[in-house]
Amino acid sequence: MAATDKALAGLRQMIASGELGPGAKFPPEPELCDHLGVSRSSLREAVRSLGALGVIESRHGSGTYVSALDPAAIISRFSLSVELIPLEGVLELLEVRRVLEAHATAAAAARQDPELAERLGAILDQLESTTEAAEIQHLDAEFHNAICTAGGNPTVTALTDVIRGRGGHYRIFEPGADFDAIKRTSDRGHREILGAITSRDPAAAATAASAHIAQTEHWLRALRPNPQPALP
Amino acid sequence: MAATDKALAGLRQMIASGELGPGAKFPPEPELCDHLGVSRSSLREAVRSLGALGVIESRHGSGTYVSALDPAAIISRFSLSVELIPLEGVLELLEVRRVLEAHATAAAAARQDPELAERLGAILDQLESTTEAAEIQHLDAEFHNAICTAGGNPTVTALTDVIRGRGGHYRIFEPGADFDAIKRTSDRGHREILGAITSRDPAAAATAASAHIAQTEHWLRALRPNPQPALP
DNA sequence: GCCGTGGCAAACGTCTGATGAATCGTCACA
DNA sequence: TGTGACGATTCATCAGACGTTTGCCACGGC
């Protein structure tokens, strides 16, 4: 077996077997090299691999640790790869977001929380009064994130955040031909979602969220011939 | 900025800017080192990072290439990290699977494909006639995968596959106290899903799939005090 | 007694150079 | 024309050295 793969398997095994739980510290690199039978270069490449996946974490001057192994945190790491996916693939991902966010929005509507509705209303007030692309994107993210968080499943929130972040790199809200129409439709969609949440109607909330995101898919599809890639 | 991070940012930039599309070949390592201003060690660690995320791919003796950047392929890479998530987190993930798979199952029911129903029936015949844990797990995966594939969104299929694979490491179907009852309930759930698909009833299909996976969540929750970790 | 400072050791981060192993294209030969 | 051997290219791995950061502990001032 290749050296780096051997190191990778060894590290994963140490976690999977329960020898090292979340937050635990690995032995120093030289010791691990000896234990796994590989050079330090190979070991470090393996560590980087698992680091990129959010499974382990190296702290300069301190040591190498198992991460919290929290699903939401691990899913967030996906943004590093999702941001590089071409538009064609983003459309597939948006269906995932549509389904998950409809579910989370329904759950948020089911839980009766007046404070949430109030906060969402404040966000929409700001959102409707701005025309700057960056601010629109930020407030839109805040609105949807607050709803998903209220939905109660951090994993769902993390997934929808990652997908929304990817879509945001395509500039729907740049001032252009259809800017006014798109902005108006988007604002109306947000109000419908908030209305369903306020009136505690999960089914209506799911429908409104689904329709709102489907609308986004439609706009992105129109951009297909000429995508605007992400700039990190 | 740290050397490895600089290399990582440089590589991502080359892809994000469109300079290198899916399948494109990177310059040789020494050339990249010179271009990015880092040593080969640092560059290779950065390459491993992106490799773990499924974004790029090194072929010994040939070169380093941008991957296909296919969402399903990238999501599959998640299994490397998801398999290390503790049971507590798996339950959060299963909610994602439940919602997505209900959606995909409804879509599969909506598309009228007699061949699919026939194939699913054959799988269930085998599944119902075996009591071996490994075979149960394999046939169960095949059944759900076939449905999700028929649902039409490869990204959804990849995500549910990853999550199902994680759950499979907990041995629900080991011969034990409740084995017979669990197996019977599981078999019945599969038949209900197939029935809804055969009768082309998307709503019933979604409900059946959702209930079936909720049942799995219930069984896993019962294992919580004493999880059985994965063995790669 | 408390707190800030300085030094020391441990541990990760980076670089360099050399060697091994796999791939691919080329070219001579049948 | 097919094919096999060869060599150039490229990634894979190793070994060693040095830099940088962190964390701890003793020391001394307040």
Side-chain angles (χ1 to χ4, degrees), chain A residues 144-199:
Chain A
H144 289 284
N145 178 285
I147 292 175
C148 289
T149 302
N153 187 322
T155 302
V156 171
T157 305
L159 249 177
T160 54
D161 278 352
V162 166
I163 299 174
R164 189 179 327 110
R166 178 61 188 100
H169 287 135
Y170 293 91
R171 322 210 188 133
I172 294 180
F173 288 111
E174 289 292 311
D178 301 329
F179 174 79
D180 286 338
I182 288 180
K183 180 67 162 54
R184 251 197 322 272
T185 306
S186 171
D187 285 344
R188 193 167 53 237
H190 287 147
R191 283 291 172 191
E192 275 170 20
I193 293 173
L194 176 53
I197 291 177
T198 306
S199 54

Side-chain angles (χ1 to χ4, degrees), chain A residues 4 26 33 50 57 70 82 89-90 98 107-108 134 137-138 151-153 160 166 171 182 193 195-196 201 230:
Chain A
T4 303
F26 281 95
C33 292
L50 291 176
E57 184 181 343
D70 170 52
V82 167
V90 173
R98 169 157 46 86
Q137 192 174 313
H138 172 258
N153 187 322
T160 54
R166 178 61 188 100
R171 322 210 188 133
I182 288 180
I193 293 173
D201 185 341

Side-chain angles (χ1 to χ4, degrees), chain B residues 42-173:
Chain B
S42 300
L43 171 67
R44 283 184 56 77
E45 289 184 16
V47 166
R48 283 282 181 186
S49 288
L50 291 176
L53 293 169
V55 170
I56 70 184
E57 184 181 342
S58 279
R59 295 180 210 151
H60 193 167
S62 173
T64 303
Y65 304 81
V66 181
S67 79
L69 293 180
D70 171 51
I74 286 183
I75 285 177
S76 299
R77 285 313 187 94
F78 255 123
S79 62
L80 294 175
S81 47
V82 167
E83 280 171 12
L84 297 175
I85 293 179
L87 173 56
E88 199 63 34
V90 173
L91 293 172
E92 269 181 29
L93 279 169
L94 267 176
E95 182 174 341
V96 173
R97 184 190 155 203
R98 169 158 46 87
V99 173
L100 287 179
E101 199 155 329
H103 173 74
T105 306
R111 94 167 26 184
Q112 316 202 340
D113 182 355
E115 194 182 324
L116 171 67
E118 190 181 338
R119 192 148 54 90
L120 294 177
I123 296 174
L124 287 192
D125 288 343
Q126 286 183 63
L127 180 52
E128 283 161 3
S129 67
T130 183
T131 58
E132 198 206 334
E135 202 173 352
I136 291 176
Q137 192 174 314
H138 174 258
L139 289 168
D140 180 82
E142 200 178 333
F143 178 78
H144 289 285
N145 177 284
I147 292 174
C148 289
T149 303
N153 187 322
T155 301
V156 171
T157 305
L159 249 178
T160 55
D161 278 352
V162 167
I163 299 174
R164 189 179 327 109
R166 177 62 188 98
H169 287 135
Y170 293 91
R171 321 208 189 136
I172 295 181
F173 289 111

Side-chain angles (χ1 to χ4, degrees), chain A residues 60-142:
Chain A
H60 193 170
S62 173
T64 304
Y65 303 81
V66 181
S67 80
L69 293 180
D70 170 52
I74 287 183
I75 285 177
S76 300
R77 285 313 185 94
F78 255 121
S79 63
L80 294 174
S81 47
V82 167
E83 280 172 10
L84 297 175
I85 293 178
L87 173 56
E88 199 65 34
V90 173
L91 293 172
E92 269 181 29
L93 280 170
L94 267 176
E95 183 174 342
V96 173
R97 184 191 154 201
R98 169 157 46 86
V99 173
L100 287 179
E101 198 154 332
H103 172 74
T105 305
R111 96 165 26 184
Q112 314 202 342
D113 181 355
E115 194 181 324
L116 170 68
E118 190 182 338
R119 193 150 52 91
L120 293 178
I123 295 174
L124 287 192
D125 288 342
Q126 286 182 64
L127 180 52
E128 284 162 0
S129 67
T130 183
T131 56
E132 197 205 336
E135 202 173 352
I136 291 176
Q137 192 174 313
H138 172 258
L139 289 168
D140 180 82
E142 199 177 337

